[in-house]
Amino acid sequence: MTQSPLQECSREIIGKKLLDHLAVIYPNEDGDRLAQQLMHVMRLDEDCQSPLPHKNLWDETDVVVITYGNTILSEKQHPLKALHHFLKTHFTMLINSVHILPFFPYSSDDGFAVVDYKQVHPKLGDWSDVLRISTDFHLMADLVINHCSAQHEWFINFQQGKSPGADYFFVVDPNENLSGVVRPRTTPLLRAVSNGSSSKCVWCTFGHDQIDLDFRNPQVLLEMVDIIRLYLDMGVRIFRLDAVAFLWKKIGTSCINLEETHEIVRLLRTLIEHADPNTVIITETNIPNRENLSYFGNANEAHWIYNFSLPPLLVNSLVSGNCRHLKNWLMSMPPAQNGTTYFNFIASHDGIGLRPVEGLLSDDEQEALIQTMENFGGQISWRALDDGNKKPYEINISLFDALRGTTAGEDEWQIDRFICAHAIMLALEGVPAFYLHSLVGTTNDYQRMLEHGHNRAINRRQWQESELNQKLKDPTTHHFKVFGQLRHLIKLRREQPAFHPNATQFTLHLGDQIFAFWRQSMNRRQSIFCLNNISDAPQTIPLSSLNLIGTDCWKDLVSDRIYEDMLGTVTLEPYQTLWITNRW
């Protein structure tokens, strides 16, 4: 990431900004006192910096890898050390940022039920390991802000009526009408617990081991800001606000995307960027596309937002052989303002979300996609509806297996289809992020899924470093082939100004079997026409349809082929990608 120039800042300026936020969130609290507390916790009363607005802290060289802290194992060292060694061995000068999923002590949900926010899980390593990784890579970490573990000290204190924690959790009368609450799970929303001498019901958006915090209490906000300050000190430079859309609750509403939630994101943005102007906030909001876009705010909320609609739409295009919906979605996406951009991913530790394609794919199309994924070994996770029924929430499958074939069944194009998917992700507007398992072509892990008892474990394999290194060296393995081709594409991407995350992008219309778009560098000197055959049959198009400037020399970066006859044609083999440019 690039560095931000600074402008003059003062305690008065930051104090005024905080008061504006606090007036929305806590209109009945002493705003001056709370603002001073927040500044003290974040140490802004000692050192305050201010970035220029609408400054891009990223460029075409930024590529992220997503991984658990224990994805890479070694008999010789702790997992975080093994991960660091693996990253330095294979990804130096290739990937410059790493998202290590929750590396704290936890009780469930593979880290997202945090028992202690301020410690590294002892089975992974310690803070010195985290700091070492942050010296070689931009470090993204999760702020699991909506809830904590039922085993956290705060919740234990809540049950005993002690502080801190006695008033940290969202308590609700079970007789309230909660039918309008949006749920991402099928488990009961409320959990009855003893609280001192009485019994109360606490709110559990994701499950009964993950108890929702009550941000109506300003002390909860102060606790989270204290945690943010620690993470900054430990080298974190990209903050992922986990499940932040559910943060604020109001009885009688959907309890998702409320105005107070957005204002808290704005407040955290103000605090973080004045503590370190080179820090990025990303919101994790697995919700319908229009709602997701709202977390950009007016370039004053998230710097990055997840492009949650991309994975299901792209997989659907590649297995159906038709990119109509993908094109329509791309045309509907507004260009991100400078100072913000999209976070593009097509695989992650979670599944392929279906909520982001609500209104984009019909029920029949979603059902066809689900059936195809089940045919390739995938599992389905569900969420509860208002009427008590349930609806598919996400598809759990490794991306490599998801692209085994098409709706017609498995075929010989699995690797080509898989590489095509990543070539599209790499070329789109935004910062690309690779799930580590995708980079090495990991397949469905049925044994881990059975052992852990939940569907998401199917795509959370743990590799022995020595075994994986051997597979990556063996030319006969698909792991070697996948990693080699992806390395080639990543290197190419990092050298192209037209692939800057905020460079111009236009959708091209070359039929439903070719997903195509045009990128232009911010100085307008480089153009790249990105052509992707998303079908299992060759596709031929006239070069004249691209309107290539005849006085320029054009070359496909992927194959090194030169195009001289502007009146000729080009044929794309099944799942072939072309990056045709006038500058190389």
Side-chain angles (χ1 to χ4, degrees):
M1 297 191 301
T2 60
Q3 299 291 301
S4 173
L6 306 180
Q7 58 183 355
E8 185 177 350
C9 178
S10 68
R11 293 179 61 183
E12 290 73 21
I13 291 173
I14 182 68
K16 175 62 168 61
K17 290 182 178 180
L18 291 176
L19 283 173
D20 289 343
H21 298 309
L22 294 170
V24 176
I25 306 167
Y26 303 113
N28 299 320
E29 297 287 337
D30 183 344
D32 286 314
R33 183 177 65 86
L34 186 52
Q36 291 301 315
Q37 288 177 309
L38 289 168
M39 290 176 65
H40 179 70
V41 170
M42 192 60 97
R43 300 206 295 272
L44 295 179
D45 50 359
E46 301 174 14
D47 180 30
C48 177
Q49 305 177 66
S50 184
L52 292 175
H54 301 287
K55 170 67 178 177
N56 295 325
L57 299 174
W58 44 84
D59 59 27
E60 60 274 11
T61 65
D62 285 291
V63 182
V64 181
V65 63
I66 304 166
T67 180
Y68 277 102
N70 59 359
T71 294
I72 305 297
L73 303 177
S74 170
E75 296 178 356
K76 301 178 182 178
Q77 51 194 349
H78 283 306
L80 285 174
K81 284 188 173 70
L83 174 64
H84 190 196
H85 181 262
F86 185 82
L87 292 173
K88 288 184 67 176
T89 299
H90 296 285
F91 298 148
T92 299
M93 303 303 294
L94 192 73
I95 285 171
N96 65 358
S97 305
V98 57
H99 173 200
I100 305 178
L101 290 151
F103 44 80
F104 320 107
Y106 68 94
S107 55
S108 64
D109 199 16
D110 280 356
F112 286 93
V114 179
V115 172
D116 188 341
Y117 289 95
K118 295 187 175 182
Q119 297 297 324
V120 175
H121 199 300
K123 289 185 177 180
L124 296 178
D126 57 34
W127 280 116
S128 67
D129 299 311
V130 174
L131 276 167
R132 275 190 288 271
I133 292 173
S134 74
T135 62
D136 292 316
F137 299 90
H138 302 303
L139 178 61
M140 182 194 300
D142 289 272
L143 184 67
V144 185
I145 192 170
N146 179 71
H147 50 263
C148 69
S149 167
Q151 295 180 29
H152 195 289
E153 178 188 15
W154 294 340
F155 191 64
I156 294 172
N157 286 347
F158 170 84
Q159 292 173 288
Q160 298 172 0
K162 300 192 311 184
S163 293
D167 51 359
Y168 279 16
F169 298 92
F170 198 90
V171 176
V172 64
D173 182 343
N175 296 315
E176 292 280 6
N177 181 4
L178 305 176
S179 61
V181 175
V182 171
R183 296 298 318 286
R185 299 289 186 272
T186 56
T187 53
L189 176 62
L190 303 183
R191 171 184 167 178
V193 296
S194 61
N195 175 237
S197 60
S198 62
S199 178
K200 295 183 179 180
C201 287
V202 292
W203 193 288
C204 303
T205 297
F206 291 91
H208 284 184
D209 189 43
Q210 294 165 290
I211 318 299
D212 283 41
L213 294 160
D214 187 356
F215 278 83
R216 294 175 302 178
N217 180 353
Q219 189 61 39
V220 174
L221 175 64
L222 286 165
E223 293 276 16
M224 279 297 162
V225 172
D226 185 50
I227 292 164
I228 289 170
R229 182 64 257 183
L230 172 66
Y231 292 178
L232 281 168
D233 294 340
M234 294 297 109
V236 174
R237 288 299 172 267
I238 308 172
F239 284 84
R240 178 183 184 268
L241 305 187
D242 175 64
V244 69
F246 299 96
L247 196 65
W248 199 274
K249 288 89 173 169
K250 283 183 181 177
I251 304 303
T253 74
S254 64
C255 297
I256 187 171
N257 305 320
L258 299 186
E259 176 56 28
E260 290 86 352
T261 293
H262 282 280
E263 198 65 44
I264 287 178
V265 175
R266 295 177 199 126
L267 180 145
L268 295 179
R269 164 81 176 256
T270 296
L271 289 169
I272 289 172
E273 70 181 4
H274 283 81
D276 183 347
N278 297 306
T279 300
V280 166
I281 291 176
I282 177 170
T283 48
E284 188 269 330
T285 49
N286 193 354
I287 51 181
N289 194 48
R290 184 180 296 274
E291 298 169 31
N292 188 37
L293 288 169
S294 70
Y295 282 86
F296 275 144
N298 185 23
N300 61 351
E301 294 188 33
H303 296 86
W304 299 350
I305 63 169
Y306 277 79
N307 234 337
F308 275 110
S309 295
L310 179 59
L313 286 175
L314 183 52
V315 171
N316 181 72
S317 294
L318 289 163
V319 301
S320 69
N322 189 310
C323 64
R324 177 169 56 90
H325 294 302
L326 188 62
K327 282 193 299 183
N328 289 340
W329 164 78
L330 193 64
M331 287 189 292
S332 74
M333 296 295 284
Q337 295 185 57
N338 282 331
T340 68
T341 196
Y342 295 105
F343 187 74
N344 294 326
F345 74 107
I346 53 176
S348 74
H349 62 292
D350 291 337
I352 300 171
L354 294 173
R355 286 216 71 204
V357 293
E358 291 177 5
L360 301 177
L361 296 180
S362 69
D363 289 345
D364 288 344
E365 288 166 329
Q366 289 189 51
E367 180 56 38
L369 175 62
I370 290 169
Q371 184 60 59
T372 302
M373 296 300 98
E374 288 183 318
N375 292 342
F376 296 158
Q379 305 293 313
I380 308 301
S381 294
W382 303 80
R383 68 182 181 94
L385 299 178
D386 296 350
D387 58 9
N389 291 320
K390 61 181 184 177
K391 185 175 183 178
Y393 173 70
E394 68 180 15
I395 303 165
N396 303 111
I397 191 170
S398 80
L399 186 64
F400 191 70
D401 280 308
L403 298 175
R404 284 185 199 174
T406 67
T407 52
E410 296 184 30
D411 58 25
E412 72 273 26
W413 301 108
Q414 183 177 13
I415 292 179
D416 303 85
R417 192 179 290 112
F418 186 75
I419 299 301
C420 179
H422 287 92
I424 290 171
M425 179 189 75
L426 279 167
L428 285 171
E429 175 189 355
V431 173
F434 288 82
Y435 190 35
L436 180 56
H437 286 301
S438 293
L439 279 167
V440 299
T442 302
T443 56
N444 290 337
D445 191 337
Y446 300 109
Q447 180 178 349
R448 186 172 178 82
M449 181 180 69
L450 292 173
E451 289 174 352
H452 285 253
H454 62 85
N455 292 343
R456 285 179 168 177
I458 198 172
N459 196 24
R460 298 178 180 179
R461 179 170 178 169
Q462 292 177 305
W463 281 101
Q464 288 292 329
E465 185 178 13
S466 57
E467 178 190 4
L468 183 54
N469 282 336
Q470 186 59 43
K471 290 184 180 297
L472 294 177
K473 294 176 183 177
D474 184 352
T476 66
T477 68
H478 77 265
H479 307 281
F480 174 90
K481 297 171 184 174
V482 163
F483 190 47
Q485 292 185 58
L486 290 179
R487 282 177 60 91
H488 175 59
L489 290 175
I490 294 170
K491 288 178 180 178
L492 287 175
R493 179 225 155 72
R494 289 172 53 108
E495 297 169 353
Q496 315 309 319
F499 285 153
H500 186 289
N502 294 83
T504 298
Q505 175 175 285
F506 284 108
T507 308
L508 304 177
H509 299 277
L510 301 175
D512 288 340
Q513 282 67 53
I514 296 181
F515 180 57
F517 49 95
W518 172 70
R519 303 295 308 278
Q520 184 184 60
S521 61
M522 300 175 80
N523 63 12
R524 300 187 179 182
R525 293 175 182 173
Q526 184 188 38
S527 289
I528 301 179
F529 291 85
C530 307
L531 313 180
N532 306 275
N533 181 359
I534 52 85
S535 77
D536 57 6
Q539 302 293 325
T540 300
I541 62 168
L543 280 171
S544 59
S545 63
L546 302 180
N547 293 320
L548 302 180
I549 299 174
T551 55
D552 286 346
C553 185
W554 295 88
K555 172 186 174 180
D556 171 33
L557 293 168
V558 181
S559 67
D560 284 334
R561 177 181 173 182
I562 302 292
Y563 294 93
E564 296 178 340
D565 182 6
M566 298 297 101
L567 298 179
T569 62
V570 59
T571 297
L572 285 82
E573 297 302 319
Y575 307 107
Q576 183 180 1
T577 289
L578 303 179
W579 287 345
I580 300 176
T581 184
N582 60 340
R583 296 286 188 274
W584 61 88

